[in-house]
Amino acid sequence: MRFNPFLYNDHGNMVELYVGGCETVDAIRLFDNNESFSVDCLGATLYKDFGWATESDIPIIKTVGEFVNFLETEGDIEIIEFEAQIGDIAKISTHDDGECNFRFGSKKECISKLKYLLPKQYTDMFINKLMNNQGVYLELLQDGRVLQYNNFDEYTDKIT
């Protein structure tokens, strides 16, 4: 599976979703190109000759599509830390360009994005397991089996 593990928590007024193996551009592409967008925090090591670039070093970006275009045009800028607000739909943060945390205003938005990340044949089953196992890391295997981990270290110990 391309994306693993997953972690889900519903706080009532906010839903959190962690997706491992999800690069910043993958996360942003889940949203409509015309959706408003603002970069709140950026730390990148390969953007131009800055050495360490921050959000103040990049052009002003107002939409999801503009940000995707920026990343595609610039190539790998080695994003280390990233936070952005996408309209009133979600807040996204990534770490080391491979660990993505979403904070959605609704469960419905979370589910709609999950459906794009999961293989169609396992989508409903996995979303059900995820929603019923809050606070537990879940790994979806290619054959549809789901493995559970009590914490992230337990998951990383298994894959290393």
Side-chain angles (χ1 to χ4, degrees):
M1 294 298 307
R2 180 170 178 209
F3 303 112
N4 267 314
F6 292 82
L7 175 70
Y8 173 82
N9 286 298
D10 188 338
H11 302 284
N13 61 340
M14 181 208 25
V15 174
E16 291 178 300
L17 177 67
Y18 169 87
V19 182
C22 186
E23 295 180 4
T24 304
V25 72
D26 295 326
I28 301 306
R29 281 187 178 130
L30 294 172
F31 298 87
D32 184 276
N33 279 339
N34 296 317
E35 191 64 53
S36 64
F37 183 88
S38 64
V39 177
D40 299 328
C41 174
L42 174 76
T45 59
L46 295 178
Y47 179 61
K48 299 194 176 186
D49 292 325
F50 286 99
W52 180 258
T54 68
E55 62 278 2
S56 62
D57 297 317
I58 65 172
I60 294 172
I61 295 169
K62 296 183 179 179
T63 67
V64 166
E66 287 176 12
F67 190 69
V68 168
N69 186 55
F70 167 76
L71 290 178
E72 289 173 346
T73 302
E74 293 300 326
D76 182 14
I77 63 171
E78 194 66 32
I79 296 173
I80 305 300
E81 296 292 332
F82 174 79
E83 286 186 20
Q85 180 70 43
I86 299 181
D88 59 358
I89 299 170
K91 186 144 183 107
I92 294 177
S93 61
T94 62
H95 176 71
D96 292 339
D97 206 17
E99 299 176 48
C100 188
N101 287 286
F102 296 89
R103 289 179 299 284
F104 295 98
S106 74
K107 185 187 294 187
K108 179 181 176 184
E109 284 295 335
C110 179
I111 291 170
S112 76
K113 302 313 178 212
L114 270 168
K115 288 182 177 183
Y116 286 104
L117 295 171
L118 299 167
K120 292 194 185 311
Q121 69 269 34
Y122 304 125
T123 300
D124 293 338
M125 175 276 299
F126 189 76
I127 289 174
N128 183 51
K129 278 202 182 286
L130 198 59
M131 305 272 161
N132 288 309
N133 288 282
Q134 291 189 48
V136 176
Y137 287 89
L138 298 182
E139 178 183 14
L140 177 60
L141 302 179
Q142 287 185 349
D143 63 5
R145 289 181 296 132
V146 177
L147 302 179
Q148 295 186 17
Y149 305 94
N150 294 317
N151 56 55
F152 191 72
D153 288 339
E154 190 178 314
Y155 171 75
T156 57
D157 287 347
K158 176 245 171 198
I159 62 170
T160 55

